[in-house]
Amino acid sequence: MAERGVVLWIHGGGWRARASEDGAALAAHGLRVVPTTYRFVHEARWPAQLDDVRAAARRARAEAGGLPLLVAGDSAGGMLALHLALRGVDEPDDVAGALAYWPPVDPLATDWKRLRDGDDPWADLIGHPPATGDPATVDASVGTHVGNRVPVLLVQGVDDRSVPATQAVGLTGALLAAGHPVHSWMTHGGHALPLDRPDLYAVAAAFLDTVLPPA
């Protein structure tokens, strides 16, 4: 299959470590997968992680040979992919689309705080417990940055015990209200589902067909 685009894959791991998913399954969609990493919370606080993936996106774009640049990630990496897509790398709309798998997006949601009580990776990310009106909390929250109308795919398992499914539901509403084309797939299973599972493959293919040239 001819390459249709380049996708920067950003791994999960709670911003603390590197999860095993490398995004390689996305190559079956005609994408050149470029994996990257970022500083973990014991090395630097937010927004260092966004700075790191922005730099990686610039490198991937420079080597893309004119192909569209997409961003993707799972869990904490999905959150970073959304930030890149919604805020842009250098310009507000210089990312063709984002594929975000089970991303944490709202540190203040009641069900998030209930689920992650005593082990909140957002507190490690920003350096203190998230709080309403706190500048770091506001900046790290994905929903703060909607509006550039970049297409987004959200995939979420309804039985996820690491990221509540309502995180994706809430973000879907915010994206739609701000004019983004959105594909949301709520499916069976928990956290860290295989990207080549038939339903996940199919929804990614449908999304990519709306944002990329035909295969």
Side-chain angles (χ1 to χ4, degrees):
M1 179 184 293
E3 288 184 337
R4 306 167 66 194
V6 173
V7 60
L8 182 73
W9 176 262
I10 308 171
H11 66 79
W15 308 293
R16 299 166 170 166
R18 186 167 193 152
S20 59
E21 178 59 66
D22 61 5
L26 296 178
H29 298 286
L31 300 177
R32 184 192 311 166
V33 180
V34 179
T36 192
T37 189
Y38 46 88
R39 282 170 286 179
F40 300 138
V41 294
H42 67 275
E43 301 170 298
R45 304 295 188 191
W46 181 264
Q49 294 73 22
L50 178 57
D51 294 339
D52 292 347
V53 296
R54 268 202 172 116
R58 292 186 185 106
R59 293 191 296 270
R61 185 176 58 196
E63 299 173 1
L67 292 170
L69 174 67
L70 300 103
V71 292
D74 65 326
S75 197
M79 173 269 202
L80 291 170
L82 288 167
H83 272 280
L84 271 182
L86 299 178
R87 303 172 77 159
V89 179
D90 294 303
E91 301 292 337
D93 58 353
D94 58 3
V95 173
L99 299 86
Y101 296 88
W102 35 95
V105 297
D106 182 1
L108 297 178
T110 300
D111 54 354
W112 170 271
K113 292 192 287 185
R114 183 171 57 247
L115 177 67
R116 302 307 298 257
D117 182 38
D119 179 31
D120 188 353
W122 288 96
D124 293 338
L125 180 68
I126 64 175
H128 53 265
T132 301
D134 167 63
T137 303
V138 172
D139 189 60
S141 299
V142 172
T144 305
H145 306 286
V146 301
N148 67 354
R149 302 194 176 191
V150 167
V152 173
L153 168 66
L154 294 171
V155 176
Q156 179 71 49
V158 296
D159 297 319
D160 196 324
R161 294 294 178 263
S162 296
V163 176
T166 49
Q167 294 269 298
V169 173
L171 183 60
T172 297
L175 289 165
L176 289 171
H180 291 263
V182 185
H183 286 57
S184 288
W185 184 246
M186 305 295 292
T187 187
H188 65 283
H191 201 67
L193 304 173
L195 301 190
D196 59 356
R197 203 176 78 175
D199 62 326
L200 272 63
Y201 179 91
V203 73
F207 172 74
L208 292 168
D209 283 345
T210 69
V211 298
L212 293 177

